[in-house]
Amino acid sequence: MSKPPTSDEHEPFLRQALEQTAFCEPVQTAFCVGCVLVAYLPDSNPIVLSTGFSRELPGNTHAEANALAKVQILSSLQLQSLVSPWPGEAAPVIEDLLHHVDVYTTLEPCSVRTSGLPSCADALIRARIRRCIIGVREPDDFVKCEGAQKMKDAGIEVIWYGGLEQECLDAARRGHHI
Ligand SMILES: Nc1nc(O)c(N)c(N[C@@H]2O[C@H](COP(=O)(O)O)[C@@H](O)[C@H]2O)n1
């Protein structure tokens, strides 16, 4: 069995998510967020499956949804090369793999979007990820975010990392005139 990571083991992945924020095009109406999806499989080191940042994919897209979308389009062959050895007998299926995935995100996943598009918290709940490790709570600059509570209520373990809060907040607000 793979050992659960300690809080120090989270830091490299949250830092990797923080690096993703540098790629965001800043806008006044939303935050710059970075995300990394990491699979924890038995007898294997953690595997980075995908990364994402705000507005990376075309349209008004969010970091967490982008990281999910990028892994959901992988072919079975691509998944197999990423997650070898896969513990099951059949080829890996993304829906199964996601139950072993921790989501590292610099900002609390959104629960409500000003655009009315689907929220990241709902997308992560639907994907039935294992845990969500969050850099900082979303400040009330735009909306009141209840993403962490929503995920907890749905049975997803939420971990507030705590050690990179200011960096994550500064990254989120990059380019904002406040
Ligand atoms: N968690 C998260 N990830 C992102 O990539 C984001 N841009 C945000 N921002 C939040 O979403 C709201 C913007 O909603 P629209 O993109 O305009 O629909 C903004 O109010 C933040 O709450 N959050």
Side-chain angles (χ1 to χ4, degrees), residues 29-31 33 54-55 60-64 107-110 112-117 120 138 142-143:
T29 52
F31 294 112
V33 183
S54 308
R55 298 168 292 284
N60 177 19
T61 56
H62 281 193
E64 304 91 318
L107 191 72
E108 180 177 5
C110 65
V112 58
R113 296 192 53 174
T114 43
S115 60
L117 288 166
C120 291
E138 180 176 324
F142 305 112
V143 293

Side-chain angles (χ1 to χ4, degrees), residues 48-71:
V48 173
L49 290 181
S50 77
T51 59
F53 59 89
S54 308
R55 298 168 292 284
E56 175 184 14
L57 296 181
N60 177 19
T61 56
H62 281 193
E64 304 91 318
N66 289 341
L68 262 184
K70 283 164 70 180
V71 85

Side-chain angles (χ1 to χ4, degrees), residues 50-121:
S50 77
T51 59
F53 59 89
S54 308
R55 298 168 292 284
E56 175 184 14
L57 296 181
N60 177 19
T61 56
H62 281 193
E64 304 91 318
N66 289 341
L68 262 184
K70 283 164 70 180
V71 85
Q72 280 165 335
I73 57 159
L74 294 178
S75 68
S76 184
L77 220 56
Q78 287 169 313
L79 275 181
Q80 205 152 17
S81 71
L82 266 175
V83 297
S84 167
W86 171 245
E89 280 176 17
V93 176
I94 187 59
E95 288 77 12
D96 296 338
L97 181 57
L98 284 169
H99 310 329
H100 301 272
V101 164
D102 284 1
V103 173
Y104 290 83
T105 178
T106 56
L107 191 72
E108 180 177 5
C110 65
S111 57
V112 58
R113 296 192 53 174
T114 43
S115 60
L117 288 166
S119 76
C120 291

